[in-house]
Amino acid sequence: MPSAEPHFGLVFCGGGPAALGPIVTAARSGRLGELLDRGIALVEPGPLGPGGLAHYRIGANSLGGPFLECLDGLPDTGPFAALRDLPETRLLREHADDHPPLSVVAPFLTRLGAVVGALLEAHPRCAVFADRAEAVRLTADGVVVTTGSGRELTARRAVLATGGRPLGGYADAEVVPGLELAPHRDKVRHSSSLIDARHTPPAVRGKAVVVGGSHSAWSAVDLLLAGEADEVTVIHRTGLRLFYDGADAARADGYAFDPELDVCPLNGRVNRYGGLRGRAHELARAALGLPGADPAPVRLLRAGDPQDAEAAHKALAEADVIVMANGFEAALPPLSRADGTALTPATGPTGTVVTDRGHLVDTEGAAHPRLVAYGLGAGLAPSADIGGEPSYARRADGVWLYQHDIGEIVLDDLLNEATTGETHS
Ligand SMILES: Cc1cc2nc3c(=O)[nH]c(=O)nc-3n(C[C@H](O)[C@H](O)[C@H](O)COP(=O)(O)OP(=O)(O)OC[C@H]3O[C@@H](n4cnc5c(N)ncnc54)[C@H](O)[C@@H]3O)c2cc1C
């Protein structure tokens, strides 16, 4: 028999960077009391805070400093204050101006998560469950989350931040019309199988092809080059997007960009969201042959460019492994409607479809304000509020965003339950 639990205002499924973002945002903006008074149940089987970042064998795509910016604006006294001088924080601070290994970032996020967890546990209306959300059902006036241990947590709304899984059908994907992975599907692996230590990495010897141009794609290239691959070919669709602090820096580096479409109108950064940073930036820069870069043993092919078409087909046919880096969809637990029928989330080329406030959209196009989904695989599309380069067609995703702009959007929505005037991303 499922055990009865009190009715919460919100049940958070997942306790990774996305889930914790609005809670940290609330603490920074003096609204934590208001949020906790709603009554929060947080369901997370692992440590609170780092989520998948604890498992990625790569460096951060952000500088160390932005991970620490969440501490700015938090009260000088109280539970968050101690975070400022912990060994994990000091180590990350040493990387404020470079791209730290994620193994340095994760321990800091774990400490942050521990503080959030203690705050929830101490509040009479909140609770943390070391458990998995196995199913989420809408009811007439809320949601019921069934956990792995058989609890039934009832709440007005659910926050679905359970991370991502490879976009469905990646092994049979059509890269561009006429260039298909299906004939080679036995040698196709998703980038996460190399990057995420929870998977056994494929043994890669000989020729490797990476399909994609994202941070994950170039992180996979880095891991392949560090391993036993003899030759790496990158097949990309949209050109290589490099991040620069501003247009002058990009020009000085000899990087060609569109001064309107590739520049964020809010802060002038070039390819603010889609641009490669850190080690991925270095590698892509070298592959483009920009001045001063050490030559990278990487061949670039542009999918859809007739000049590269034959070489792309040949590379796929001859590859020993093909690494697909086409991103993620949200790894949601099964969802159902109040009448018991399945609720199937809509998925598009950039992941699970949500509105500009993070309300889940189903395959019939209906938005569900009681189901708030964001984070890996379901990021919000950049809007005028959060900026970004107009050419960026994917989702805004990142720890800083969860704790700042996206955190604000979700927090406002959770506190105000605003459900009108939204658009699908
Ligand atoms: C390879 C890679 C590198 C990245 N590097 C960076 C970076 O350097 N900087 C940056 O800012 N962003 C980075 N990101 C983007 C993003 O910030 C991270 O992916 C981040 O971990 C996403 O947070 P999340 O909470 O959405 O998902 P996750 O980190 O995956 O966390 C999901 C959480 O939900 C829990 N969970 C899963 N299923 C259930 C369930 N059924 N019930 C309850 N809990 C569940 C998990 O245990 C986990 O704790 C990277 C993304 C990728 C893919």
Side-chain angles (χ1 to χ4, degrees), residues 124-221:
R125 300 202 55 205
C126 300
V128 178
F129 298 96
D131 211 339
R132 287 183 64 80
E134 295 292 354
V136 179
R137 179 165 51 86
L138 288 171
T139 61
D141 60 353
V143 294
V144 182
V145 174
T146 306
T147 72
S149 65
R151 286 193 170 90
E152 294 217 322
L153 301 168
T154 58
R156 282 183 58 74
R157 304 172 81 191
V159 172
L160 307 174
T162 43
R165 60 176 165 236
L167 259 174
Y170 71 88
D172 296 315
E174 188 180 53
V175 183
V176 290
L179 187 64
E180 291 176 355
L181 296 189
H184 316 288
R185 72 179 327 279
D186 290 349
K187 39 186 194 178
V188 179
R189 304 285 179 273
H190 194 262
S191 54
S192 54
S193 68
L194 271 79
I195 293 170
D196 189 331
R198 291 169 291 187
H199 302 285
T200 310
V204 180
R205 292 187 188 82
K207 297 181 179 179
V209 171
V210 175
V211 181
S214 63
H215 180 64
S216 287
W218 285 91
S219 298
V221 171

Side-chain angles (χ1 to χ4, degrees), residues 2 56 138 170 176 183 187 192 230 307 334 342 356 383 397 410:
Y56 299 157
L138 288 171
Y170 71 88
V176 290
K187 39 186 194 178
S192 54
D230 303 325
Q307 287 190 345
D356 57 357
S383 62
D397 192 22
V410 174

Side-chain angles (χ1 to χ4, degrees), residues 12 15-32 35-36 40 42 49 66-75 80 83 108-109 111-117 119-120 374 399-404 407-408 411 414:
F12 279 63
L20 263 49
I23 303 177
V24 171
T25 303
R28 283 183 28 254
S29 57
R31 291 179 286 173
L32 186 60
L35 180 65
L36 298 190
I40 292 180
L42 192 150
F67 289 108
L68 294 165
E69 280 179 30
C70 63
L71 299 177
D72 300 343
L74 284 171
F80 287 102
L83 283 171
F108 168 75
L109 294 177
R111 288 296 209 140
L112 178 66
V115 172
V116 170
L119 279 166
L120 293 173
Y374 60 98
V399 177
W400 188 92
L401 282 168
Y402 303 142
Q403 296 172 345
H404 294 81
E408 292 279 352
L411 177 64
L414 295 180

